[in-house]
Amino acid sequence: MKILVCISHVPDTTSKINFTEGDTKFDTNGVQFVINPNDEFGLTRAMWFKEKQGATVDVVNVGGAETEPTLRKALAIGADGAIRVNATATDGFFVAKQLAEVVKNGGYDLVIAGRESIDYNGGMVPGMLAELTGANFVNNCIGLEIDGTNATAVREIDGGKETSSTSLPLVIGGQKGLVEESDLRIPNMRGIMMARKKPLNVIEAADTAAETTAVKFEKPAPKGAVKLVDANNIDELVNLLHNEAKVI
Amino acid sequence: MSILVYTESEQGKFKKAAFEVASYAKEVANQLGTTVTAVAINVDDTSELGKYGVDKVLKVSEDTLKDFNAKAYAATIQQAAEKEAAKVVVVSSSADSKSVAPILAVNLSAGYASNVVAAPESTSPFVVKRTAFTNKAFNHTEINSDVKIVGVSNNAFGLVENSGNAAAEAFSPSLNDALFGVKVESLDKVTGKVTIADAEIVVSAGRGLKGPENWGMVEELADVLGAATACSKPVSDLGWRPHSEHVGQTGKPVASNLYIAIGISGAIQHLAGINASKVKVVINTDPEAPFFKAADYGIVGDAFEVVPQLIEKLKEFKANNA
Ligand SMILES: Cc1cc2nc3c(=O)[nH]c(=O)nc-3n(C[C@H](O)[C@H](O)[C@H](O)COP(=O)(O)OP(=O)(O)OC[C@H]3O[C@@H](n4cnc5c(N)ncnc54)[C@H](O)[C@@H]3O)c2cc1C
Ligand SMILES: Nc1ncnc2c1ncn2[C@@H]1O[C@H](COP(=O)(O)O)[C@@H](O)[C@H]1O
């Protein structure tokens, strides 16, 4: 089984979010980038398929040279090879098109992406990629088993979960639950050394136009100070929620 | 040309989000000087959509669509959009709609903007405001394609009453077997409980509650408010509460009108997932807890004393305002 894990390179969860150039560009100054958390769960599940079922695992990112440390980290965690499609990821559709080329050329059976990236939060790439490559698709995936070309996938739904049977080729939008947090791996020294020797192929982007453009960013208006209510005056809270906030 | 809206249902009844997306579609239709057509799958009585400005309803009655199926649902909506020559398709931000929309986008060659929080700020160019960076920012996005898909964030636009005929018309999409490559085998779903995605009010509790045996008061508070229950990540990791209640950056997103956080410190990853909620109330013993900086109302106090009192006061309030 050939697995491709899509890796989005995103600001660490604690990053301060600022914009430059008239609020048109994300300010990367002082920002630490990491593997998108949803993709890290997916990569860890892929490692399980590699170790238990002999799968080969490649990782891919659509981005500039600055994303290579993130791909190297994925290699250090255990991926066999990495691909970087050399382009600026302008929108979800553009990325999905690029990834579809990689999937077709590489003959991957299973593609593991994340349910959403924590920067642009599009939640678009996995579904688009599934459709562009004609693969089956399970989003919000919190459990995946593969047996030959058959797959059983668990999807988180509003208020519960749903188990489906499907088959390869398959694209999933994964998230926490695919593996437990305690299963996530921190690259060790040996992994880091080995990652240096693993292939990281840079390929040129296919010609595609984006369908959406981020015109401008904006930060939420600064919030007013919290209104504190005395713990012995709960009536006041009820009153505020009813008359001021109008939420009850 | 009309605006097409996908009005989601569950067990034959519209979800609240269906009326919200219909309200949104009506606003877009007004801006563009056109009408709203809804597509509804396996709903008998669709008349209520009229109240939210829907003029026409394409009613799909299909046994094969009894279980959710992303590709088959996308194909149904696609065919409805083509029939109506729709230029804008509006969907919700439910787990199901978020699975359908990307597929629909590919097949309609449509640009898709998700997590949209307001009516289009202009229609030519077509620009919408959406959340980005896990609610730490907004992104004004232009959709350049001819056909556009807008995914509306829950509770962002609200319900707006309007009048429409909601004239029902049977619609049978042509669905081939190839669409059904994913088959639902079993469903494990809490019934009769408000879900986090649908809830207007969410009552959430954290490690400050000390143990699962103390959740009775959280459930009771939620009951009184008609709210959904949620929890912080460590609480679900410890197995005190089911994973489906975990909210935050790595859990479910919350965009309720009211979010009550009990014994939750307010870590950045927690806040990232719940920040889209409009009004936040925090109850915490520690006045230095970061949540106080993100909240609208706060009580510095012990949950075990404050929450039972709050339940009593809300019951009184309910009785007086019934
Ligand atoms: C990559 C990453 C992703 C993460 N994603 C999420 C996520 O999605 N969701 C999430 O929630 N967390 C997430 N976290 C974890 C997050 O950083 C915090 O650890 C977590 O939110 C803390 O949970 P808590 O507030 O319940 O517990 P604690 O931090 O232990 O806080 C308990 C609070 O309860 C208060 N308290 C104690 N006793 C009482 C009492 N009797 N009455 C009232 N208050 C009391 C305390 O003062 C304290 O503020 C993530 C972390 C990382 C690194
Ligand atoms: N630039 C990218 N390169 C590779 N994979 C990506 C990229 N952007 C998004 N993805 C994948 O698609 C998932 C969903 O991203 P998004 O649609 O941007 O929310 C991510 O979790 C990744 O798995």
Side-chain angles (χ1 to χ4, degrees):
Chain A
M1 178 166 55
K2 280 190 81 177
I3 303 177
L4 183 68
V5 182
C6 305
I7 303 281
S8 162
H9 158 93
V10 299
D12 168 49
T13 54
T14 57
S15 303
K16 291 260 178 302
I17 304 298
N18 288 305
F19 301 99
T20 56
E21 298 181 35
D23 285 337
T24 59
K25 290 243 152 31
F26 175 59
D27 184 358
T28 56
N29 223 323
V31 171
Q32 200 189 335
F33 282 84
V34 296
I35 299 176
N36 186 39
N38 290 318
D39 302 342
E40 202 177 343
F41 292 115
L43 177 63
T44 310
R45 188 66 191 153
M47 287 302 110
W48 189 91
F49 289 124
K50 174 177 158 148
E51 284 154 19
K52 298 282 190 316
Q53 301 186 347
T56 57
V57 178
D58 288 341
V59 290
V60 61
N61 172 264
V62 179
E66 71 282 2
T67 72
E68 288 190 4
T70 300
L71 285 173
R72 286 274 175 221
K73 183 173 171 201
L75 291 172
I77 288 172
D80 301 298
I83 301 160
R84 179 170 69 81
V85 180
N86 187 29
T88 306
T90 39
D91 82 338
F93 180 72
F94 175 86
V95 171
K97 273 278 206 190
Q98 304 304 331
L99 294 173
E101 289 301 313
V102 173
V103 172
K104 283 177 197 158
N105 296 334
Y108 294 97
D109 308 294
L110 171 66
V111 178
I112 301 181
R115 104 181 149 191
E116 71 170 12
S117 55
I118 63 165
D119 51 359
Y120 294 95
N121 305 112
M124 308 182 179
V125 169
M128 288 179 170
L129 180 56
E131 199 57 20
L132 289 169
T133 57
N136 288 315
F137 174 51
V138 176
N139 204 12
N140 299 90
C141 189
I142 53 170
L144 180 66
E145 302 289 342
I146 309 278
D147 179 9
T149 59
N150 294 323
T152 306
V154 185
R155 179 172 80 102
E156 185 169 76
I157 55 173
D158 299 335
K161 56 189 180 185
E162 177 193 271
T163 305
S164 302
S165 61
T166 182
S167 58
L168 302 178
L170 171 69
V171 176
I172 65 158
Q175 62 182 55
K176 179 179 168 242
L178 214 42
V179 296
E180 285 312 316
E181 193 120 2
S182 51
D183 299 329
L184 295 180
R185 303 171 185 194
I186 297 162
N188 57 24
M189 213 46 215
R190 188 162 164 269
I192 295 168
M193 296 303 286
M194 279 171 66
R196 291 198 188 139
K197 298 198 194 86
K198 289 180 180 172
L200 193 166
N201 294 326
V202 179
I203 58 176
E204 286 315 308
D207 190 21
T208 308
E211 287 176 334
T212 61
T213 318
V215 196
K216 208 175 169 67
F217 293 95
E218 176 190 333
K219 294 222 278 181
K223 236 189 51 58
V226 58
K227 249 189 205 172
L228 287 180
V229 176
D230 193 276
N232 298 313
N233 194 5
I234 306 286
D235 276 323
E236 176 63 7
L237 179 65
V238 174
N239 176 36
L240 286 168
L241 292 179
H242 179 58
N243 291 314
E244 188 177 86
K246 300 194 170 30
V247 286
I248 59 170
Chain B
M1 180 212 123
S2 67
I3 308 297
L4 186 79
V5 59
Y6 167 47
T7 45
E8 264 177 289
S9 58
E10 190 169 49
Q11 285 159 349
K13 294 220 165 31
F14 286 119
K15 292 190 187 174
K16 199 198 94 200
F19 301 128
E20 185 172 23
V21 288
S23 304
Y24 187 97
K26 177 65 179 172
E27 168 64 25
V28 181
N30 287 344
Q31 290 189 9
L32 290 169
T34 179
T35 57
V36 177
T37 301
V39 53
I41 298 175
N42 295 335
V43 184
D44 286 332
D45 181 3
T46 56
S47 58
E48 205 175 347
L49 292 176
K51 217 161 92 189
Y52 301 98
V54 172
D55 297 288
K56 179 169 149 189
V57 186
L58 298 176
K59 280 177 73 166
V60 179
S61 308
E62 272 288 345
D63 246 11
T64 53
L65 299 178
K66 208 165 64 39
D67 290 323
F68 173 76
N69 179 298
K71 289 199 182 194
Y73 274 47
T76 302
I77 301 166
Q78 179 195 345
Q79 290 169 35
E82 283 163 357
K83 174 178 152 62
E84 296 295 302
K87 291 287 182 222
V88 181
V89 180
V90 181
V91 300
S92 83
S93 288
S94 70
D96 288 356
S97 282
K98 280 193 165 176
S99 300
V100 167
I103 298 173
L104 192 59
V106 167
N107 293 331
L108 286 174
S109 300
Y112 164 43
S114 56
N115 302 320
V116 170
V117 293
E121 45 205 58
S122 74
T123 51
S124 179
F126 195 93
V127 180
V128 287
K129 179 174 173 178
R130 54 184 304 275
T131 55
F133 295 95
T134 41
N135 298 312
K136 287 186 239 169
F138 296 106
N139 174 353
H140 299 265
T141 298
E142 179 180 338
I143 308 180
N144 316 317
S145 52
D146 182 35
V147 180
K148 300 155 180 82
I149 303 176
V150 179
V152 183
S153 208
N154 284 350
N155 292 316
F157 189 74
L159 301 182
V160 181
E161 296 207 2
N162 257 299
S163 66
N165 295 329
E169 184 181 299
F171 178 66
S172 8
S174 77
L175 303 170
N176 60 38
D177 287 350
L179 294 167
F180 295 90
V182 178
K183 286 186 194 63
V184 175
E185 300 290 348
S186 67
L187 205 65
D188 174 3
K189 195 173 157 139
V190 195
T191 49
K193 257 193 97 182
V194 190
T195 65
I196 293 170
D198 275 347
E200 283 176 46
I201 303 180
V202 173
V203 175
S204 188
R207 200 149 53 180
L209 252 60
K210 315 280 192 278
E213 66 281 5
N214 296 324
W215 248 262
M217 63 181 188
V218 178
E219 301 212 318
E220 194 179 351
L221 178 58
D223 245 16
V224 178
L225 289 166
T229 49
C231 68
S232 69
K233 182 167 156 301
V235 165
S236 75
D237 287 347
L238 289 161
W240 296 358
R241 299 296 291 177
H243 276 298
S244 56
E245 282 197 3
H246 160 206
V247 297
Q249 184 159 53
T250 48
K252 283 212 167 66
V254 183
S256 55
N257 287 332
L258 173 60
Y259 183 81
I260 302 181
I262 305 164
I264 298 177
S265 58
I268 193 158
Q269 299 91 355
H270 184 86
L271 297 177
I274 63 95
N275 248 338
S277 293
K278 296 204 186 78
V279 175
K280 285 156 274 208
V281 175
V282 52
I283 299 168
N284 197 306
T285 41
D286 176 10
E288 301 296 321
F291 216 125
F292 283 103
K293 291 209 178 63
D296 301 278
Y297 302 101
I299 293 184
V300 179
D302 185 339
F304 296 98
E305 285 162 24
V306 173
V307 175
Q309 283 189 59
L310 182 57
I311 292 169
E312 285 319 306
K313 298 293 180 191
L314 283 168
K315 280 187 180 160
E316 279 172 33
F317 168 80
K318 285 262 156 137
N320 296 333
N321 288 270

